[in-house]
Amino acid sequence: MEDSKELEALILKYTAALKTLETQINILLQDYEQKNNYNPVEHIKSRLKSYDSASKKLVSKGYEVTIKNIEKHVHDMVGLRIVCSFLSDVYKIVELIENSDQITIHDKEDYITNPKDSGYSSYHLSVYVPVYLIDGVHLVEAEIQIRTIAMDFWASLDHKIIYKFQGNIPKEIREGMQHCAEDIHNLDKKMLELNKEMQTIKEDKEVI
Ligand code: 0O2
């Protein structure tokens, strides 16, 4: 076990980054809602990855468990998940964050257009969050996951499956989840179409 003071300092930095990111994202979303009379977000979850989870991730990637390696190789110590109703909302939020001067994106993964083999689907943004400490500004990495409610439903069961079977997921469960992921993708597309249709009917009625 390393110097606990060093670990405390790291946790302080990550906690500050999480608070900063939450604040920046909430302000952007409130501004968007105020200007568009529309809130694209269903709910937001945030979390700091635990030291144990970070250690497991390092071991799985073949790295020694050290504080330096956590900083260098665990890119989602600070995590924010934005859950939306519709597919179009996911891309609206991505655009909003891309256009923000406060949040610096250094990597993007569109697992909606290109789902993982497991069926996992989400939009990931890896960003840098500035944290102002006594010795100056630190750019802390964070991961923002943006997904629909349906994708979130899938991912939460998948998370339990991964945890339960620890890498040895039975074939029928793996295939069942892949089929569910396809169903969920089709459901998301249908719900988006229905929402668009509903909007046009509402607009027609307003004209009358
Ligand atoms: P947890 O417990 O959710 O934090 P990187 O983080 O970039 O070094 P990785 O794992 O290749 O390495 O990144 P990737 O693929 O972008 O995945 C990061 C996170 O996405 C994961 O964090 C999960 O939250 C989520 N994710 C990715 N693939 C899957 C999947 O197949 N099923 C589910 N349920 N979630 C997935 P963690 O640390 O693995 O887990």
Side-chain angles (χ1 to χ4, degrees), residues 38-42 83-93 112 146-151 187-196 198-199:
Y38 178 72
N39 175 9
V41 176
E42 195 59 41
V83 179
C84 320
S85 293
F86 302 105
L87 269 175
S88 55
D89 295 334
V90 172
Y91 291 97
K92 233 172 248 159
I93 292 166
I112 297 175
I146 310 160
R147 57 173 73 147
T148 63
I149 300 171
M151 292 172 200
L187 182 70
D188 267 335
K189 285 201 287 194
K190 277 188 203 155
M191 293 290 274
L192 178 62
E193 286 313 313
L194 280 173
N195 186 48
K196 278 188 196 156
M198 186 266 289
Q199 298 291 336

Side-chain angles (χ1 to χ4, degrees), residues 47 49 53 57 61 73-76 81 109 111 116 118-121 124 126 143 145 147 154-160 162:
R47 65 111 182 86
K49 203 178 203 78
S53 299
K57 197 156 193 174
K61 289 179 168 193
H73 301 293
V74 183
H75 307 292
D76 61 346
R81 182 171 299 148
E109 288 288 353
Y111 295 127
K116 290 199 161 193
S118 62
Y120 177 77
S121 177
H124 287 195
S126 300
E143 182 179 83
Q145 299 180 345
R147 57 173 73 147
W154 184 96
S156 78
L157 176 59
D158 191 56
H159 199 268
K160 286 179 197 149
I162 294 170

Side-chain angles (χ1 to χ4, degrees), residues 93-140:
I93 292 166
V94 171
E95 196 187 337
L96 204 60
I97 298 174
E98 278 173 340
N99 291 336
S100 151
D101 289 336
Q102 298 219 322
I103 300 169
T104 312
I105 298 174
H106 70 86
D107 201 13
K108 292 187 243 183
E109 288 288 353
D110 184 351
Y111 295 127
I112 297 175
T113 309
N114 300 303
K116 290 199 161 193
D117 291 343
S118 62
Y120 177 77
S121 177
S122 252
Y123 201 108
H124 287 195
L125 291 175
S126 300
V127 301
Y128 288 122
V129 184
V131 169
Y132 295 87
L133 298 180
I134 295 170
D135 61 355
V137 60
H138 295 242
L139 289 179
V140 179

